[in-house]
Amino acid sequence: MSTVDKMLIKGIRSFDPENKNVITFFKPLTLIVGPNGAGKTTIIECLKLSCTGELPPNARSGHSFIHDPKVAGETETKGQIKLRFKTAVGKDVVCIRSFQLTQKASKMEYKAIESVLQTINPHTGEKVCLSYRCADMDREIPALMGVSKAILENVVFVHQDEANWPLQDPSTLKKKFDDIFSATRYCLSSLSL
């Protein structure tokens, strides 16, 4: 079974870009409690983004996900999420995703500037990069965790704004269940009996 060990958040939403905020996840359960605006939802959003590459539903293409440079009194803010987890076979892996939000003359510009998936070589102790490409990481991390991306998105790290999906219209519900259970459509006419 895969486990999440630690996560560092820096420059994401209300988490200050100058301070490294480290969350340690305890076994068998970690409770995240705090007053409104403390960053509880941001922690879950960072877990989901680290594991799936998906921005939260209210992130406006990343513009409202990274700490606002105007609040920091800067023209540019960098954000970073580092997630350390054990794979389904017990191997330590670190996922690093870094972002930048820049205030241009008339608009904000969001960029994903670095994505790294790394592990430690057990023989040499050196860091070994498994991937630098976001698309590869988005596929590789769920596979390393031994769970589908659909389960991570819709069950494990479901955003509170999307948590009511089981109550949605039948076609949306069917699509979610098809994704979760990796179902495919079968047409009777194509089956040979």
Side-chain angles (χ1 to χ4, degrees):
M1 177 168 72
S2 182
T3 58
V4 174
D5 298 327
K6 277 188 179 183
M7 182 170 59
L8 175 140
I9 304 173
K10 189 171 114 171
I12 306 295
R13 296 208 191 241
S14 63
F15 287 89
D16 189 332
E18 301 303 318
N19 295 321
K20 295 178 180 180
N21 299 278
V22 178
I23 297 120
T24 302
F25 298 94
F26 299 98
K27 295 173 190 148
L29 176 69
T30 298
L31 297 176
I32 302 169
V33 295
N36 289 347
K40 301 177 298 292
T41 300
T42 302
I43 292 169
I44 302 302
E45 291 171 343
C46 288
L47 284 166
K48 181 177 180 178
L49 177 64
S50 294
C51 295
T52 68
E54 296 293 323
L55 283 164
N58 53 358
R60 291 186 9 244
S61 302
H63 290 88
S64 66
F65 189 63
I66 308 305
H67 190 80
D68 190 340
K70 290 181 270 181
V71 172
E74 304 287 336
T75 57
E76 178 181 282
T77 303
K78 292 185 178 174
Q80 186 175 66
I81 305 165
K82 284 185 182 180
L83 179 68
R84 188 174 76 200
F85 65 96
K86 288 199 186 328
T87 66
V89 295
K91 189 176 183 181
D92 286 319
V93 174
V94 175
C95 166
I96 304 168
R97 296 190 190 247
S98 300
F99 314 93
Q100 178 177 298
L101 188 61
T102 306
Q103 175 66 56
K104 298 289 184 179
S106 61
K107 63 176 183 154
M108 294 280 215
E109 182 181 273
Y110 165 84
K111 271 195 245 184
I113 55 174
E114 179 188 34
S115 294
V116 178
L117 189 59
Q118 63 188 19
T119 189
I120 304 291
N121 181 324
H123 304 295
T124 65
E126 293 180 10
K127 291 179 183 176
V128 178
C129 288
L130 303 174
S131 178
Y132 289 104
R133 297 185 58 222
C134 292
D136 292 343
M137 287 176 59
D138 298 347
R139 282 189 309 273
E140 190 68 24
I141 292 172
L144 289 169
M145 291 183 143
V147 66
S148 73
K149 183 176 177 180
I151 289 176
L152 288 173
E153 289 178 337
N154 298 302
V155 179
V156 178
F157 301 129
V158 66
H159 192 277
Q160 63 192 20
D161 293 346
E162 297 175 332
N164 66 347
W165 68 261
L167 306 174
Q168 293 179 346
D169 64 278
S171 63
T172 302
L173 190 58
K174 181 182 181 333
K175 184 188 177 331
K176 293 279 189 185
F177 277 121
D178 285 350
D179 289 347
I180 290 169
F181 296 110
S182 300
T184 56
R185 293 188 180 149
Y186 295 99
C187 178
L188 280 177
S189 63
S190 65
L191 292 175
S192 57
L193 300 173

